[in-house]
Amino acid sequence: MPRIGVAQICSTGNITQNLKKCIDFIEKAVEKNVRVLFFPEATDYIARGSEESIALAASVEKEFVEPLRTYIKSMEAAIDVSVGVHLPTQDLKVDHRVRNCLLYINNEGKIISEYQKLHTFDVPFSNLFESKTVQPGAKEPVPFKTPVGILGPSICYDIRFPEQALHLRSKGAQVICYPSAFTVKTGEAHWELLGRCRATETQTYVVMPGQCGKHNEKRESYGHSFIAGPWGNIMAQASRDTEDLITADIDLNELEKVRKGMPLWDQRLAETFSDFPSAEVDPLTIA
């Protein structure tokens, strides 16, 4: 059975140091026979504000992505890496925001998938409006083959929209990942709940790589990275504040057993309930 790993890290505004952390975790993962290693959202950097983020994004490809690809290609052991990064928009004259992207780099150092986060974290109660500095994606996520199964890419806030996970499952996903930088408040309330729900309803392995600890005086992330099985069970989990590497073996035979034992996809009535007639009775009159 192929093994996956999740690297829980605490990124800062120093791209060089964050790259070094990645390389250290890749080396540890190889020692544990990990075939695919998953890093969190914003592994390249977490900035103190929008101006710093835009400035840093301009150098991510040269100072982070290219050296990481070169390193992975140079390794004797075969390991693929999924990593969350910031990239400039395609046309800086029109849009100065950054793109929150998930890159999948294979063991030859090639980027075989680039997914741009669809749902930005615009949440009034937290006073955070990600779309002010991050350009939302416009293309649907496309699952693709990996050594651990067919992988469906998503990022952080995407997890609150189950239709995206259901779409990925309908396109063949066996594993779905949600690299994240959850706030402490939302993490305490919903992190584990959401991950296990997405795993249960899609009957996939769900990989939850999270940022952890204090990144700077303004930002702190929840941690508790974990891997859930297709039955919704937690297979491995990290602590809140500690950088860590967790692993789990992916058993696609077990996944098929879960799907055959509870054939949700054969029992779905429709994509929506729009085909059902409208109720004639006012629900408020029902005793």
Side-chain angles (χ1 to χ4, degrees):
M1 291 185 289
R3 180 167 296 169
I4 64 171
V6 169
Q8 176 169 286
I9 66 172
C10 181
S11 295
T12 66
N14 189 316
I15 293 176
T16 302
Q17 289 183 1
N18 297 331
L19 174 63
K20 185 179 183 304
K21 284 184 183 181
C22 286
I23 291 173
D24 289 344
F25 269 109
I26 291 171
E27 291 176 351
K28 292 176 183 177
V30 167
E31 292 175 0
K32 293 181 177 291
N33 298 314
V34 168
R35 188 61 187 83
V36 179
L37 179 60
F38 293 86
F39 284 97
E41 175 185 35
T43 295
D44 53 346
Y45 68 80
I46 289 184
R48 290 177 173 82
S50 59
E51 291 185 5
E52 182 183 23
S53 180
I54 292 169
L56 289 171
S59 60
V60 164
E61 194 160 355
K62 180 180 179 181
E63 296 182 10
F64 186 90
V65 176
E66 287 306 317
L68 183 61
R69 291 176 61 189
T70 300
Y71 174 76
I72 293 169
K73 183 179 180 179
S74 71
M75 298 193 68
E76 291 185 11
I79 186 169
D80 294 8
V81 171
S82 171
V83 60
V85 299
H86 303 85
L87 297 172
T89 55
Q90 302 293 346
D91 190 347
L92 290 173
K93 293 181 180 179
V94 176
D95 194 340
H96 289 281
R97 294 176 296 177
V98 301
R99 293 184 296 131
N100 187 335
C101 293
L102 179 61
L103 306 180
Y104 188 95
I105 307 170
N106 71 7
N107 64 295
E108 296 177 349
K110 297 178 181 177
I111 298 174
I112 65 171
S113 172
E114 178 183 312
Y115 164 71
Q116 185 175 342
K117 186 178 183 180
L118 287 177
H119 302 93
T120 52
F121 188 75
D122 292 350
V123 180
F125 92 80
S126 68
N127 200 31
L128 291 173
F129 296 89
E130 189 179 17
S131 63
K132 289 182 178 180
T133 57
V134 174
Q135 179 195 66
K139 296 180 180 179
E140 70 176 56
V142 178
F144 54 95
K145 292 182 179 180
T146 78
V148 298
I150 300 172
L151 176 63
S154 292
I155 300 175
C156 200
Y157 197 50
D158 288 335
I159 199 171
R160 292 186 181 273
F161 302 89
E163 58 271 23
Q164 181 162 330
L166 295 171
H167 167 80
L168 290 168
R169 163 70 201 271
S170 72
K171 296 297 183 181
Q174 297 165 310
V175 182
I176 300 175
C177 63
Y178 292 98
S180 302
F182 254 56
T183 67
V184 173
K185 186 172 183 178
T186 57
E188 289 174 344
H190 300 141
W191 172 250
E192 183 179 316
L193 171 69
L194 288 167
R196 295 182 69 186
C197 280
R198 297 298 86 86
T200 305
E201 67 200 7
T202 60
Q203 298 172 313
T204 62
Y205 287 93
V206 166
V207 187
M208 304 282 286
Q211 291 276 353
C212 70
K214 292 185 177 181
H215 311 285
N216 51 54
E217 64 275 9
K218 296 181 178 180
R219 289 284 303 274
E220 182 178 1
S221 294
Y222 181 62
H224 291 97
S225 300
F226 70 93
I227 301 164
W231 192 243
N233 53 305
I234 292 182
M235 303 172 67
Q237 187 166 29
S239 65
R240 173 171 171 173
D241 296 324
T242 306
E243 294 186 321
D244 197 7
L245 173 66
I246 59 173
T247 65
D249 294 335
I250 300 299
D251 187 347
L252 296 181
N253 290 328
E254 178 64 22
L255 179 143
E256 289 304 317
K257 191 181 298 183
V258 169
R259 292 181 176 183
K260 288 179 180 178
M262 188 176 286
L264 298 180
W265 247 247
D266 296 333
Q267 298 168 339
R268 302 187 79 81
L269 295 176
E271 288 297 321
T272 69
F273 284 87
S274 59
D275 294 334
F276 285 82
S278 299
E280 297 294 335
V281 181
D282 183 351
L284 296 179
T285 66
I286 300 175

